[in-house]
Amino acid sequence: MKIKFIFFLSLIFVLFSCKNDTEKRLAETEKAAKKKELIFSNINKGWVFNANPINATSQANTLSWNEWRSFLTELEQKPKKTIGAFQKKSTEISKKAMALNDNIPIKFSTPQIKSRISTLITKVRMLDLFIHLNDIPDQKIIVLVGEINEELVSLQNQMDKMVQKSKIPLEEGESDLLKMLDTSRAIPNVKPDPNLPRIE
């Protein structure tokens, strides 16, 4: 009789503990679903890129620089429905940003432009990294979107500044002065080898 009673009590205990575990799992699943929904909502609200050219130079580049046009087009298209869509979009944006560095037009192949493109690529790749984490930091992603927008404006302003400077005519003798300042044309400062015979 005692054995039956102990068996019955253990069976009841096991059943109640299984029921509690199931309830806990359901509560945790519901909590995780709400958290994912909140993260998606925050990212969806903050995913606003300024993909429109801000000046005439940038507008002209969309016609002649295919990588620039493709990058801006990719930024303009906003994903919908799921976090997975945002993850795929960030991967595509990252690929398009990397292509910017490969085919810079000759007139913009300067350290100022290259550094701004590198900074833009870094920000885009950080966005891609953060959105692919298991625990997505939605606030960091929103901040990065704003920083990417700032870098876009900086890059476009620098391109416009270079175009405006190129339109300014050179004064008489200025081209000769620029040639003199060019260090690549200077005579190298090499000390003579003491072992070589000298002509006196």
Side-chain angles (χ1 to χ4, degrees):
M1 183 80 175
K2 268 186 173 181
I3 294 176
K4 287 183 182 179
F5 183 69
I6 291 173
F7 177 73
F8 182 70
L9 280 177
S10 5
L11 183 64
I12 291 174
F13 178 73
V14 168
L15 289 174
F16 277 116
S17 58
C18 287
K19 186 179 179 185
N20 287 342
D21 286 345
T22 306
E23 288 174 3
K24 283 181 184 177
R25 272 189 247 125
L26 287 173
E28 287 175 5
T29 305
E30 187 177 326
K31 186 178 177 182
K34 284 182 181 178
K35 184 179 178 184
K36 283 185 179 180
E37 189 176 312
L38 179 65
I39 288 171
F40 171 77
S41 175
N42 288 342
I43 291 174
N44 193 32
K45 287 177 190 171
W47 194 278
V48 180
F49 289 105
N50 297 332
N52 295 325
I54 62 169
N55 53 40
T57 304
S58 182
Q59 182 67 39
N61 283 338
T62 58
L63 301 174
S64 60
W65 187 7
N66 293 334
E67 289 77 13
W68 178 248
R69 180 179 59 245
S70 179
F71 177 67
L72 290 180
T73 303
E74 199 67 45
L75 282 178
E76 197 173 31
Q77 300 166 352
K78 185 176 179 179
K80 294 179 174 122
K81 296 185 181 177
T82 63
I83 288 289
F86 282 99
Q87 290 172 334
K88 286 178 185 175
K89 178 56 74 175
S90 69
T91 302
E92 285 302 312
I93 291 171
S94 182
K95 287 178 187 175
K96 302 291 183 182
M98 293 295 289
L100 286 176
N101 214 14
D102 296 336
N103 298 316
I104 302 171
I106 295 169
K107 64 182 175 181
F108 296 124
S109 187
T110 62
Q112 299 92 334
I113 296 293
K114 287 181 179 180
S115 68
R116 282 171 175 78
I117 289 175
S118 294
T119 306
L120 180 64
I121 289 172
T122 303
K123 301 284 184 187
V124 169
R125 298 213 43 194
M126 283 175 60
L127 174 74
D128 190 34
L129 171 76
F130 283 140
I131 204 161
H132 281 91
L133 294 175
N134 289 335
D135 189 17
I136 299 171
D138 53 337
Q139 296 306 315
K140 284 186 180 181
I141 289 173
I142 293 168
V143 168
L144 273 172
V145 168
E147 290 176 2
I148 289 169
N149 285 332
E150 288 173 13
E151 293 303 326
L152 277 170
V153 169
S154 173
L155 176 60
Q156 292 178 68
N157 284 338
Q158 184 64 36
M159 288 189 291
D160 191 49
K161 184 177 177 183
M162 291 181 70
V163 168
Q164 296 307 320
K165 274 188 174 180
S166 69
K167 291 179 181 177
I168 299 172
L170 294 178
E171 290 184 17
E172 187 178 327
E174 189 175 355
S175 61
D176 294 334
L177 180 64
L178 291 174
K179 284 180 187 177
M180 289 172 53
L181 292 174
D182 186 6
T183 57
S184 65
R185 296 178 40 138
I187 298 172
N189 188 9
V190 180
K191 293 183 179 177
D193 188 1
N195 296 330
L196 293 175
R198 294 187 313 174
I199 299 174
E200 293 185 26

